[in-house]
Amino acid sequence: MSAKDPVLQPPPGARPDWTIDQDWEGYTADEHQVWIRLYERQTALLPGRACDAFLHGLEALDLHRAGIPDFSRINAELERLTGWSVVAVPGLVPDEVFFDHLAHRRFPAGQFIRRPEQLDYLQEPDIFHDVFGHVPMLTDPTFADYMQAYGEGGLRALDLGRLHNLARLYWYTVEFGLLQTPAGLRIYGAGIVSSHAESIFALDDPSPNRLAFDLERVMRTPYRIDDFQQVYFVIPSLQALLDATLQDFAALYASIARRQDLAIDEVTPSDRVFTRGYQSYAARGGRTAA
Ligand code: HBI
Ligand code: FE
């Protein structure tokens, strides 16, 4: 008996795999303008903050064109580089659908873009979070392999009822991961790199902890979905992240099942600490603080 989602039906107009046509011609000038505003703000900020693989991917996919990218155009280059393609979906899709796409090198990207008044925060991933945040890293062969391995692992985790542990791995790497480089810490996580404020907070603010990535440690650490992270995990290289997926996850899940989750702001004696944060941002109430 797997812990799969109850079989949800795709929304009207979506295919059985929950994909829809991007309908690039259907975007309005205002929607293209939102992309341009977000894109210009991030690209002014990210040199020296985003990792080289991200910046190279942005260039390789020619995402600096003005406006929302046409998936058919970026897929021609992306498929040539790593065999990945971007497919349009209406929004969040069931876990099983999501993992199956990743396992087949298809990245599901929201087809919609946020409204101007949502420029700095929205709950559900839109096309800017997905295409600007996630897709450039898929041009890196090592990260491309990691994302496919994650998809395959997700399908197994569903069957083992360990999705919540694997979701933490995704959260603290693909969404909010930091990379150690000779020039200092750099961003590779999509949730950071697509956010102006968090691209600054994640690297510069003394509030969060910054700890060396350890697979079991990450899987025991809860995360926030509504505000900046209280801890960021640092990998030594993208290869190290891929190598971590070669572990025996069943044994890992068994070990985790015998141990407590850690508190989100905890630093343990076995942690290798880059920054021991003051947690002052979270203590002030974070984003919603007056
Ligand atoms: N669906 N479109 C979309 N994008 C996501 O990032 C996503 C999803 N469904 C499930 C999901 N992420 C997470 O639950 C998994 O990462 C665990
Ligand atoms: Fe995301």
Side-chain angles (χ1 to χ4, degrees), residues 125 129-130 134 170 175 190:
H129 168 94
D130 281 327
H134 283 281
Y170 188 85
E175 293 295 356

Side-chain angles (χ1 to χ4, degrees), residues 3-201:
K4 293 187 190 314
D5 294 325
V7 182
L8 296 173
Q9 291 309 315
R15 289 179 277 270
D17 65 358
W18 288 63
T19 58
I20 57 174
D21 294 337
Q22 182 189 10
D23 184 22
W24 184 78
E25 295 71 21
Y27 291 118
T28 66
D30 287 350
E31 288 172 316
H32 283 294
Q33 197 51 42
V34 171
W35 172 281
I36 292 167
R37 276 184 67 194
L38 288 165
Y39 182 86
E40 288 178 346
R41 194 171 68 165
Q42 283 312 94
T43 49
L45 176 67
L46 290 175
R49 290 182 178 274
C51 68
D52 288 346
F54 177 85
L55 296 172
H56 295 156
L58 218 46
E59 281 307 307
L61 296 177
D62 210 10
L63 286 191
H64 58 68
R65 294 266 181 87
I68 295 171
D70 182 340
F71 290 178
S72 59
R73 179 179 66 75
I74 56 178
N75 281 340
E77 181 63 12
L78 185 59
E79 282 164 12
R80 189 183 66 77
L81 288 170
T82 57
W84 275 85
S85 63
V86 188
V87 291
V89 290
L92 289 174
V93 303
D95 294 333
E96 184 176 339
V97 172
F98 183 66
F99 292 124
D100 186 68
H101 280 302
L102 297 188
H104 293 91
R105 297 206 173 216
R106 294 187 300 265
F107 189 80
Q111 185 271 350
F112 71 99
I113 193 158
R114 68 193 74 179
R115 294 190 305 279
E117 63 274 16
Q118 297 174 300
L119 213 62
D120 285 320
Y121 185 75
L122 79 164
Q123 187 77 26
E124 188 160 353
D126 73 337
I127 194 166
F128 187 78
H129 168 94
D130 281 327
V131 174
F132 181 90
H134 283 281
V135 174
M137 286 301 293
L138 294 174
T139 64
D140 177 278
T142 304
F143 192 81
D145 288 353
Y146 171 70
M147 283 294 277
Q148 180 176 21
Y150 181 87
E152 291 162 349
L155 293 169
R156 283 197 302 275
L158 276 171
D159 290 339
L160 295 171
R162 304 303 310 196
L163 180 68
H164 65 291
N165 295 117
L166 203 83
R168 289 169 175 174
L169 174 61
Y170 188 85
W171 198 264
Y172 281 121
T173 58
V174 179
E175 293 295 356
F176 292 95
L178 297 180
L179 173 69
Q180 189 177 10
T181 80
L185 300 188
R186 292 292 183 267
I187 302 162
Y188 72 94
I192 309 175
V193 86
S194 60
S195 157
H196 188 264
E198 197 153 6
S199 293
I200 296 167
F201 179 88

